[in-house]
Amino acid sequence: MPNERLRAAMAAGGWTYAALAAKVEVDPKSVERWVNLNRTPRRTTAMVAAETLGEDVHALWPALRQARAARAVSPELVALYEQRADLPVSAFVEMLTQARERVDVLVYAAVFLHEAYPRLNDLLRERAASGCAVRIAVGDANSPNVQQRGQEEKFGHGIESRCRLALMHYRPLLDTPGIEVRTHGTTLYNSLYRADDQLMANAHVWGVNAYGAPVWHLRRHSEGGMFDTYVQSFNAVWATATPVEER
């Protein structure tokens, strides 16, 4: 089916195949295929042609709009889960098991990990013994931001008790070389679970418990991508967090 919009635009401006081809630096046969076979040129070429014709590039080649949307999906996105409850704990465990250099956990409580996988502390000790730097940041139960989160997710004081429970779970790790545990009082927008170049980000949604909110699994693809954005966020919170002392 011919590209009639393009044909009309060329006719209105008196453009021949050869003249437009010369302007955008392509072969005249390419322009002919754009018109008669409705072929879509490369985006950069299409933008020059559209500007030359005084037309909107997406009006001439709607497929470019779809192509842009397709490329908007980050190459770092491995998987997207509608809610954390859809993600088996084994997925977190498998990711942490693969860590060779670093494990970072930033949460308010996330007691589901210890409850569903009682060997979590053993796993973290094994990772630390193999050379991993392990950093765990849990919510400070006395922080106004943590308490506010409890009210927002309609869990009341439950979140404070969960933060204390999480800290109780991690306390046995305080004397383990290579493992640091801190408490933070930040407004947390995502719970983060990182193992080297992989990361699970559990979104925080107002009025919804974390288990009912989405999770995206990322794998670092290039410098400055989504993965690095979350790592920078973790580091910023970590810098404000308070080290937990051994009793």
Side-chain angles (χ1 to χ4, degrees):
M1 181 178 179
N3 187 330
E4 297 297 347
R5 179 66 178 263
L6 177 58
R7 189 194 302 279
M10 290 179 63
W15 290 94
T16 64
Y17 296 150
L20 184 59
K23 183 68 174 180
V24 300
E25 300 181 350
V26 299
D27 189 277
K29 290 185 178 179
S30 295
V31 179
E32 183 178 357
R33 286 192 286 268
W34 298 349
V35 176
N36 295 326
L37 301 180
N38 202 11
R39 296 286 177 81
T40 300
R42 293 181 179 178
R43 177 174 294 277
T44 53
T45 302
M47 291 179 69
V48 174
E51 183 177 357
T52 300
L53 297 171
E55 292 280 338
D56 177 75
V57 67
H58 295 129
L60 293 176
W61 294 287
L64 289 176
R65 189 188 305 276
Q66 299 172 1
R68 172 175 290 181
R71 284 196 294 273
V73 177
S74 170
E76 297 190 321
L77 183 62
V78 177
L80 173 63
Y81 302 89
E82 291 188 11
Q83 52 185 14
R84 196 189 72 201
D86 295 333
L87 188 61
V89 172
S90 59
F92 291 92
V93 173
E94 182 179 354
M95 186 183 74
L96 295 175
T97 300
Q98 295 174 15
R100 295 295 178 267
E101 297 180 359
R102 180 169 297 283
V103 169
D104 290 332
V105 176
L106 172 60
V107 297
Y108 276 144
V111 293
F112 75 95
L113 286 175
H114 279 99
E115 291 172 348
Y117 188 71
R119 285 199 68 257
L120 181 63
N121 281 5
D122 292 334
L123 171 59
L124 295 176
R125 289 191 186 97
E126 291 166 5
R127 294 299 87 222
S130 69
C132 273
V134 179
R135 299 185 295 179
I136 309 293
V138 299
D140 179 353
N142 297 317
S143 165
N145 289 326
V146 173
Q147 295 170 2
Q148 178 66 29
R149 172 61 184 171
Q151 297 173 18
E152 292 171 355
E153 67 178 18
K154 302 175 183 178
F155 211 76
H157 295 293
I159 191 170
E160 298 161 41
S161 61
R162 284 186 294 156
C163 287
R164 294 188 177 95
L165 180 58
L167 187 57
M168 182 186 74
H169 280 305
Y170 287 115
R171 272 195 176 279
L173 299 174
L174 293 179
D175 61 352
T176 304
I179 297 181
E180 294 182 78
V181 181
R182 297 184 181 183
T183 58
H184 70 91
T186 61
T187 299
L188 199 58
Y189 299 103
N190 298 277
S191 295
L192 304 179
Y193 309 83
R194 176 197 179 185
D196 293 344
D197 285 347
Q198 294 191 74
L199 182 146
M200 299 281 194
N202 182 189
H204 287 194
V205 179
W206 199 96
V208 177
N209 193 284
Y211 65 74
V215 174
W216 35 95
H217 180 185
L218 303 177
R219 181 176 286 109
R220 191 174 191 272
H221 181 267
S222 59
E223 186 175 347
M226 292 175 62
F227 181 93
D228 285 354
T229 297
Y230 283 111
V231 169
Q232 292 168 10
S233 176
F234 178 95
N235 290 335
V237 174
W238 185 256
T240 69
T242 303
V244 177
E245 304 294 338
E246 294 185 55
R247 291 177 178 173

